[in-house]
Amino acid sequence: MDEIHPGRVTKDGIRIHEARDFAGMRKAGQLAAHILDEIAQHVYPGQTTGALDKLITQMVQQAGAQSATIGYRGYQHASCISVNHVVCHGIPGAGIPMGKDETISRNLEKRRADDRLLDGDILNIDVTVIVDGWFGDTSRMYVAGKPKPFAERLIQVTYDALMMGIEAVRPGNTFGDIGHAIQSYVESQRMSVVRDFCGHGLGRVFHAPPNVLHYGRAGHGPRLEEGMFFTIEPMVNLGRAETRVLADDWTAVTRDKSLSAQFEHSIGVTASGYELFTLSPAGRFHPSWG
C-alpha cells in the first residue's frame, strides 16, 4: 500500500487531498467503471441478479483488487443491484420486491419467486472497489430488454440531473449549488429526488464527510475546494420521494412503488472545475450506448 498523505481537513470535516492523490483515485475509479462496462453484455431478460454479482466478484478478483462492500457492515456481495422500484442497496440473489406492475399482494415485501430479470426491467448496478488503498465508487442504469417509454424517460432525467449537478462543481461554489441544480431540474420534469440517501466523501475511506445532498439551496453549505473527493449519486423517483427499508435492513424501495433510477460518479475538485474518476472507458455510462 502506498504511503498515506493525510492532507488538510476543513472546519466541516472534509479532507483536502494533495495533487498526487488524484492518481490513486483515478486508478480505482477506472477499474470500477471498467467492471460496469463489462457487465453490460450480461444484462438481459432471464438473467439473475445473483449471477451478475458472481461475475462482478470474479472481475474484482481477477484485477487483483478488493471489493469494498463484501464484509461491509455484514454485507456479503460485491455489488448492489436495485431493480425497478428498489431505490438502492438491492441485494443480489435475494429476489425482487413486488411493485405496482406485478401481481398485487397484501405483503408489500413479498418478492418474486427468484431474482430473474424480466423484459423491460430497469436496474442500477453499484460497485465499489479498493485499489492500492483508494476507493472507486460508481453506479449506472441498465435495461433488461426493451424499456417502457416512462422508464426510459426516468433514466434520461436521472442521468441529466447527475450531469447538471456535476457541472456545478468548481472551487468557490457550494454543495448547496450541486443539490439545487439536481433538484430544480428533476422537479421541473415532475419527478422527485430521494432525500433519505445522499452522496458522500471518499478517498482512502469508503464514507467520509461531506454528505452530498441531491437537493438544497444555491449558495448554502460548505464551499468546494480543490482536493475534495466525493460522490454525486442522485436517486430519482417517478412518483413521490419517500422510501422505506425492507426487513433485510438493506433494500430501500419507493413507498408508492413507483420506479426509481440512479447514476453515480466519483469526483475530485480541481483548480478549474472537476475530474470524473469513474468515466466509462468504453463510453457505456448510459444504457443508450448499445
Side-chain angles (χ1 to χ4, degrees):
M1 182 179 293
D2 294 338
E3 178 188 355
I4 295 177
H5 306 299
R8 178 171 62 86
V9 176
T10 72
K11 63 181 178 63
D12 299 295
I14 305 170
R15 185 166 299 282
I16 305 300
H17 296 84
E18 300 182 3
R20 53 187 163 180
D21 295 336
F22 279 73
M25 287 297 291
R26 194 176 301 126
K27 187 175 180 181
Q30 282 299 282
L31 175 60
H34 172 72
I35 289 170
L36 291 187
D37 282 353
E38 292 299 306
I39 204 66
Q41 63 187 309
H42 300 284
V43 177
Y44 49 79
Q47 177 64 285
T48 67
T49 61
L52 292 172
D53 184 68
K54 288 180 181 178
L55 287 168
I56 291 168
T57 302
Q58 292 170 3
M59 291 182 212
V60 174
Q61 293 171 343
Q62 289 168 359
Q66 178 183 349
S67 168
T69 53
I70 295 177
Y72 179 76
R73 297 184 178 178
Y75 196 76
Q76 294 302 316
H77 302 276
S79 65
C80 292
I81 302 180
S82 303
V83 183
N84 292 337
H85 65 290
V86 177
V87 175
C88 60
H89 304 158
I91 302 175
I96 300 170
M98 300 179 71
K100 279 184 175 180
D101 296 331
E102 301 176 69
T103 304
I104 299 299
S105 169
R106 291 182 180 178
N107 178 6
L108 293 180
E109 294 184 19
K110 183 177 179 181
R111 297 173 182 266
R112 293 180 187 170
D114 58 22
D115 63 332
R116 201 168 301 277
L117 297 173
L118 303 179
D119 185 51
D121 279 347
I122 65 172
L123 56 152
N124 176 274
I125 302 180
D126 190 340
V127 169
T128 307
V129 298
I130 308 172
V131 179
D132 298 330
W134 295 98
F135 286 71
D137 187 3
T138 185
S139 79
R140 66 182 78 158
M141 294 301 295
Y142 300 83
V143 180
K146 183 176 177 58
K148 295 177 182 177
F150 57 85
E152 197 168 22
R153 181 169 175 267
L154 169 66
I155 290 171
Q156 187 63 51
V157 167
T158 308
Y159 172 83
D160 290 342
L162 169 67
M163 300 314 294
M164 289 179 185
I166 289 172
E167 286 303 314
V169 176
R170 68 180 65 90
N173 275 7
T174 70
F175 282 95
D177 293 328
I178 297 172
H180 177 74
I182 293 169
Q183 179 186 8
S184 59
Y185 174 69
V186 169
E187 293 179 352
S188 76
Q189 301 302 306
R190 299 187 177 181
M191 299 181 191
S192 60
V193 176
V194 170
R195 287 161 167 74
D196 296 333
F197 303 93
C198 61
H200 54 89
L202 80 171
R204 285 192 174 274
V205 294
F206 196 172
H207 296 99
N211 289 332
V212 182
L213 305 181
H214 304 117
Y215 60 95
R217 297 172 60 189
H220 285 247
R223 291 208 172 273
L224 299 168
E225 295 185 39
E226 181 181 0
M228 289 181 174
F229 297 163
F230 51 85
T231 69
I232 302 178
E233 46 184 299
M235 288 145 272
V236 176
N237 298 343
L238 265 180
R240 295 178 60 86
E242 293 82 6
T243 69
R244 63 188 294 262
V245 177
L246 302 187
D248 58 29
D249 290 329
W250 284 104
T251 308
V253 300
T254 55
R255 280 190 175 272
D256 62 6
K257 297 299 178 182
S258 62
L259 288 182
S260 188
Q262 179 187 20
F263 286 91
E264 175 185 13
H265 269 313
S266 293
I267 298 167
V269 182
T270 66
S272 59
Y274 60 85
E275 177 179 347
L276 295 182
F277 298 127
T278 47
L279 279 175
S280 165
R284 296 177 179 176
F285 191 70
H286 190 286
S288 64
W289 68 269

